[in-house]
Amino acid sequence: MFKENRRAKLLTLALSCFGLFMVLLDVTIVNNALPSIQRHLGASLSGLQWIIDVYTLVFASLLLTTGSLSDRQGRKRWFLIGLGVFTAGSALCGFAPNLGVLVAARALQAVGGAALSPASLSLLTSAFPDPRERAQAIGLWSGVSGLSLSAGPLIGGALVDGPGWRWVFFVNLPVGVIAYLAALRFLRESVNPRPRRLDPAGQLLGIGTLAILVYALIEGGSKGWTSGLILTMFALAALGLVAFLLVEARQHEPMLELRFFRSASFSGTNAIGFLTFFSLFGFTFFNTLYFQEIRGYSAFTAGLLGLPATVAIVVMAPFAGRIAGARGSGLPIAIGTAMAGSALLLLRGLEADTDYGTIWWKFALFGGGLGLVLAPMAAAAVAGMPRTQAGLASGMLNTSRQVGGAVGIALLGTVFANRFRAALPPEVRAHAGGATGGFQAAGPAVRRVVGDAFVSGLHAGYLLGGTALLTCTVLAVTLLGAFRGRPAGPPPAEPEAAMASSQPS
């Protein structure tokens, strides 16, 4: 493997993978720390949503712009900038004295992650000019996604149960410094001789519109859906979306290529990506709270209980490739979303005292379904696109998925909270505090009532998430031609395309 310049190539591969692992691990590692953060910082449910959502929102909003900047100004430079900012953000998260500082520090982390991720891919494509070696390197790089997904809950659980939740962030400091020094010493600088133009107007409108929408969704339940503030936020989000589309339609090289959406395959794939991550982020967010707050498991045990889903994703991914190779991308996406959606609907039978032995297979069914979906999305997104546009098309897909995750936590959290509060008797709400973190000191009867109310909210979330995934099944059949036989093969995609779309949450 890697005959010429072997040492330089292996170092570039190792550093690129390591940087990506840090960024993606921080998405999943924080989930298991949420109950502990809630208790120590007095966070409400909406506060927990912001801890996850601000990272995803900023990360998604900046991916395309930071990718263009790294191509223009130097991939090594932006990889180092990303590592430095991410590590500094991690330190601020660990020292955060209150929820506001933690959320702001998470946003800073996301800025670093958004700079680091596309730069790490571009460094790889520059270091491996041979197509065969490049494919091997990209395959290893993409495997980091699954590894971080599986390792995050376990590492996070071990840290929370050991030195405490702040070490979920502090653990990034020594590895970040080592990675920075190694990258500074060993990585080679490269630039794209023909980078895309920057689109600052589209960038500002995009992130502003998304931030306003997510704020309205998260805070609408507590401030009132008909309050002047929330109605104003929704109105501003609608106006921002119209302005964003008008600006992008007039740009020569827009951040979001609207013409791509003329393709039914591209439009369908982006919708599927959005809805799939909408459901996935909500699933992981609330299951963590269920296992720790309602069932009373430790953070590490909660991570172990989530393994059937993550292992199933890794196990089913190779089958997705085989099915897609034989029948096209639409079929595994249709099968996978049907499996995952059915799993969420089956989980509506979950109760506050349900035996884990009766539900673990439903988690595995959910993860197995996602394993059939994630990889074929990349091929479906670039099908029919010119080779030179494949990287941008897959980058847009990754942005759609991240935005779907952010909206999923916001909207599903609101649905959950409304159902949870409605199911609580008035005399119990004072103990529950409007969330799940204020009832532990109450008696068994109160804990039982709160647990039942929590599960009621969880059922509402499962119903919405499952319906979203089954909608994806319909889209895969109608727009991706899941049962029409193998379509004509898509043009060869740039390596950047496959990799940009492999980055999860």
Side-chain angles (χ1 to χ4, degrees):
M1 179 185 287
F2 314 146
K3 296 180 180 179
E4 298 180 3
N5 302 318
R6 177 182 175 85
R7 180 171 178 270
K9 290 178 178 178
L10 288 175
L11 283 170
T12 301
L13 175 61
L15 287 167
S16 296
C17 290
F18 188 73
L20 180 69
F21 181 82
M22 283 180 62
V23 172
L24 299 185
L25 183 71
D26 228 64
V27 176
T28 56
I29 198 174
V30 174
N31 274 331
N32 271 9
L34 292 177
S36 185
I37 293 172
Q38 182 183 43
R39 290 189 292 271
H40 285 85
L41 297 185
S44 63
L45 178 64
S46 63
L48 299 184
Q49 289 173 269
W50 276 117
I51 292 171
I52 302 298
D53 250 0
V54 72
Y55 186 93
T56 307
L57 180 65
V58 174
F59 185 81
S61 300
L62 295 180
L63 269 177
L64 294 176
T65 295
T66 52
S68 296
L69 285 170
S70 66
D71 284 345
R72 180 181 298 272
Q73 299 177 356
R75 283 79 176 256
K76 176 181 177 178
R77 173 185 295 183
W78 276 88
F79 186 85
L80 291 172
I81 290 173
L83 265 177
V85 173
F86 184 85
T87 304
S90 297
L92 291 175
C93 286
F95 286 113
N98 54 55
L99 180 65
V101 174
L102 179 57
V103 170
R106 285 282 286 168
L108 185 62
Q109 269 192 315
V111 172
L116 190 157
S117 295
S120 69
L121 172 60
S122 298
L123 283 167
L124 273 188
T125 60
S126 176
F128 294 88
D130 178 73
R132 184 181 296 273
E133 290 189 348
R134 183 184 299 174
Q136 291 176 320
I138 284 175
L140 292 171
W141 190 90
S142 63
V144 169
S145 299
L147 181 61
S148 64
L149 186 67
S150 301
L154 295 179
I155 296 175
L159 290 171
V160 171
D161 289 346
W165 68 265
R166 295 182 184 275
W167 282 90
V168 168
F169 303 107
F170 285 148
V171 72
N172 292 327
L173 304 188
V175 294
V177 170
I178 293 171
Y180 186 94
L181 294 175
L184 186 66
R185 171 68 177 83
F186 296 111
L187 289 183
R188 297 179 180 178
E189 186 60 281
S190 65
V191 296
N192 186 343
R194 292 182 295 175
R196 289 179 58 84
R197 295 179 182 178
L198 297 179
D199 180 14
Q203 177 68 80
L204 291 174
L205 282 170
I207 192 170
T209 300
L210 283 173
I212 291 170
L213 175 62
V214 168
Y215 176 87
L217 290 173
I218 289 179
E219 301 295 339
S222 60
K223 299 185 182 300
W225 293 106
T226 58
S227 68
L229 175 62
I230 298 303
L231 291 177
T232 299
M233 292 295 103
F234 278 124
L236 288 175
L239 291 174
L241 176 60
V242 172
F244 174 76
L245 295 176
L246 290 175
V247 167
E248 296 301 275
R250 297 182 180 183
Q251 290 282 0
H252 177 64
E253 288 186 339
M255 182 180 70
L256 185 70
E257 284 282 7
L258 299 180
R259 58 189 174 87
F260 285 2
F261 290 94
R262 298 172 187 168
S263 163
S265 175
F266 184 80
S267 296
T269 303
N270 274 268
I272 290 169
F274 178 94
L275 293 172
T276 298
F277 276 67
F278 172 95
S279 302
L280 172 61
F281 273 47
F283 173 83
T284 55
F285 181 84
F286 290 107
N287 281 358
T288 295
L289 295 177
Y290 170 77
F291 281 129
Q292 293 188 52
E293 293 297 305
I294 303 304
R295 301 304 301 270
Y297 293 116
S298 68
F300 183 72
T301 302
L304 286 175
L305 296 178
L307 271 183
T310 54
V311 170
I313 291 176
V314 177
V315 170
M316 293 301 292
F319 294 99
R322 294 175 188 174
I323 298 172
R327 296 289 304 276
S329 301
L331 185 59
I333 291 176
I335 296 173
T337 52
M339 287 171 56
S342 298
L344 290 188
L345 296 182
L346 287 171
L347 280 169
R348 295 188 71 229
L350 184 72
E351 299 298 341
D353 56 357
T354 298
D355 181 63
Y356 181 75
T358 65
I359 60 172
W360 70 266
W361 64 271
K362 298 175 185 177
F363 290 177
L365 181 65
F366 178 80
L370 289 184
L372 290 175
V373 173
L374 297 180
M377 266 194 221
V382 301
M385 295 292 171
R387 180 184 177 91
T388 56
Q389 300 293 319
L392 178 60
S394 61
M396 290 168 61
L397 170 65
N398 193 35
T399 300
S400 295
R401 301 195 313 182
Q402 300 292 338
V403 171
V407 174
I409 289 179
L411 183 56
L412 290 173
T414 295
V415 170
F416 164 86
N418 287 342
R419 179 65 67 85
F420 174 76
R421 294 190 188 102
L424 283 176
E427 63 272 17
V428 177
R429 289 175 188 166
H431 292 286
T436 61
F439 72 94
Q440 288 85 354
V446 172
R447 290 199 299 270
R448 176 69 192 190
V449 170
V450 172
D452 289 342
F454 182 98
V455 170
S456 177
L458 202 59
H459 289 172
Y462 284 149
L463 176 61
L464 185 55
T467 302
L469 286 167
L470 294 182
T471 301
C472 293
T473 305
V474 175
L475 292 174
V477 173
T478 56
L479 298 182
L480 304 188
F483 298 105
R484 297 176 193 164
R486 177 163 175 78
E494 297 286 346
E496 290 89 344
M499 292 318 305
S501 62
S502 72
Q503 299 173 17
S505 61

